[in-house]
Amino acid sequence: MADGYARLTSKPQCVIVHVDVGTQGLGAAVHNASCGRAPVLIFAGLSPYTCGGEYRGSRTEYIHWIQDVPDQKQIVSQYCRYSGEIKCGKNVKQMVGRALQFAMSAPAGPAYLVGAREVMEEDIEPYELEQAHWGPIGNAALPEDAIQEISEALVGAQEPLLITGYSGRNHDAVIQLVKLADTVRGLRVLDTAGSDMCFPADHRSSLGLRYGIHDRITTADVIIVADCDVPWIPTQCKPKSGTRIFHLDSDPLKQQIPVFYIPAEARYKVDTSTAFNQLHTYISTNPALSRTLSTYHDRWDALGKEHADRISTIRSLAHPGPDSTFNVSYLTSRIRHHLPTDTIFAIEAVTLTAFVADQLLPSLPGTWLNCGGGGLGWSGGAALGIKLAAGPKRFVCQIVGDGTFLFSVPGS
């Protein structure tokens, strides 16, 4: 629930669990929060560190010895942006503030704090912190030379392509990317839907949602990879030799993925909403680039026809069979037809995700939330958290597949 609420609102949520076993019980949820960039603060107790009553909070139960492990933080630290121990009551607020700074700074994700009972029972004098001093890191922008180079590459390309995955967490990034696509006529956008809807499916530049495989990846001569963990799978599909690739990302080195590489000639640690804004502003105000773009009417018309043909193909799949059987395309199309336009979808369809996306055609920022990780069972609690955040007037629909409904332990 905390994960879903945090994803929709970008406001950090808190989860409290019981020592090492409670931490282990989080299991795949921490993996999903990390891959899905969900700002969640996890707090867990530690077994008391005194045995004979030396401090208030000393051990009083058999289990206090059994649950005393060498380093409890190691259970989840590799998935967390920060892990730390509260060692005294006098700086507890500073420790929480620091953990939240990490959780909220891009790339957002879980932070983990632990504290023993002696610390939790310590007497301290009341104190306050200036909360304005404990905010996340501010957004980073492209340097001026990069703006010019990428802009000129996009405008001069025969087949420019932008691949994204989680830029849509910031709803303004969707707006700025639409402006960029409207400016660079001929730019196609492939949404890998790592965790959010990043580009409206009803826009003529949209190639829809696919996971690392699309013919346009192999033919593009300029590719922008923007906030994306897996733009393509090289053994299945990869850019042709000579393609110019630029990587714009809040985490371009993928510091929590030991093996990652794309042949980008330049990579920038940036806020993609800011970067998209810089690019379309520069291009639209540059006389030479604007003159070039004014000759691209045929490209714009071709995108429109290509998109219309793709939508027609998608709709042709949404029909029951002659024996009254039906496939996931037909089922999803009926769900889309009967639900409000602004329905928020919590998607965990796994191997059927692309078929679901094709029929839902998500076009409003914040209306498609995907797990982003590999821990099945995310959507049950996430859908409840999303609904709690969205309020009573917004409809939330959970779509599951590959057993994920059971993985979410509905009986709990």
Side-chain angles (χ1 to χ4, degrees), residues 16-20 23 43-47 72 112-117 120:
I16 300 176
V17 295
H18 182 59
V19 294
D20 63 325
T23 301
F43 174 75
L46 287 175
S47 282
Q72 186 174 302
Y112 182 71
L113 284 176
V114 296
R117 193 163 69 173
M120 298 301 103

Side-chain angles (χ1 to χ4, degrees), residues 110-300:
Y112 182 71
L113 284 176
V114 296
R117 193 163 69 173
E118 291 90 339
V119 176
M120 298 301 103
E121 295 194 21
E122 181 182 338
D123 287 327
I124 63 172
E125 291 295 324
Y127 72 102
E128 295 182 359
L129 296 182
E130 179 56 63
Q131 293 301 313
H133 297 166
W134 294 89
I137 295 173
N139 294 334
L142 285 169
E144 290 187 8
D145 59 336
I147 298 171
Q148 179 179 348
E149 182 179 22
I150 297 172
S151 296
E152 291 175 351
L154 281 174
V155 174
Q158 294 299 309
E159 284 194 42
L161 173 66
L162 190 144
I163 307 174
T164 186
Y166 56 90
S167 60
R169 179 64 53 81
N170 179 352
H171 297 176
D172 184 64
V174 180
I175 297 170
Q176 298 303 328
L177 182 51
V178 168
K179 291 181 179 179
L180 181 61
D182 288 343
T183 301
V184 183
R185 297 188 168 191
L187 174 66
R188 294 180 175 90
V189 180
L190 178 62
D191 193 340
T192 63
S195 53
D196 301 84
M197 189 282 287
C198 301
F199 191 75
D202 60 358
H203 193 286
R204 69 177 65 197
S205 295
S206 172
L207 295 176
L209 180 152
R210 291 296 182 270
Y211 286 125
I213 300 174
H214 198 284
D215 290 343
R216 291 297 179 181
I217 296 173
T218 65
T219 60
D221 55 344
V222 171
I223 297 178
I224 307 297
V225 177
D227 280 344
C228 184
D229 288 339
V230 188
W232 52 81
I233 302 171
T235 57
Q236 308 295 319
C237 167
K238 62 183 179 180
K240 64 183 180 182
S241 177
T243 297
R244 301 188 68 187
I245 301 170
F246 301 90
H247 191 183
L248 316 180
D249 206 302
S250 63
D251 181 24
L253 293 180
K254 307 301 173 187
Q255 296 180 68
Q256 291 185 287
I257 301 177
V259 180
F260 175 87
Y261 171 75
I262 59 173
E265 65 181 74
R267 47 187 55 82
Y268 300 95
K269 185 178 176 67
V270 296
D271 170 68
T272 49
S273 177
T274 301
F276 295 155
N277 180 282
Q278 290 177 291
L279 291 171
H280 74 68
T281 300
Y282 180 87
I283 293 170
S284 61
T285 57
N286 182 287
L289 296 181
S290 295
R291 282 195 297 272
T292 300
L293 288 171
S294 67
T295 65
Y296 287 173
H297 296 297
D298 289 346
R299 291 191 187 186
W300 190 245

Side-chain angles (χ1 to χ4, degrees), residues 310-328:
R310 190 175 72 84
I311 298 301
S312 178
T313 300
I314 288 171
R315 288 175 176 162
S316 71
L317 299 175
H319 295 285
D323 57 352
S324 296
T325 58
F326 59 88
N327 56 23
V328 67

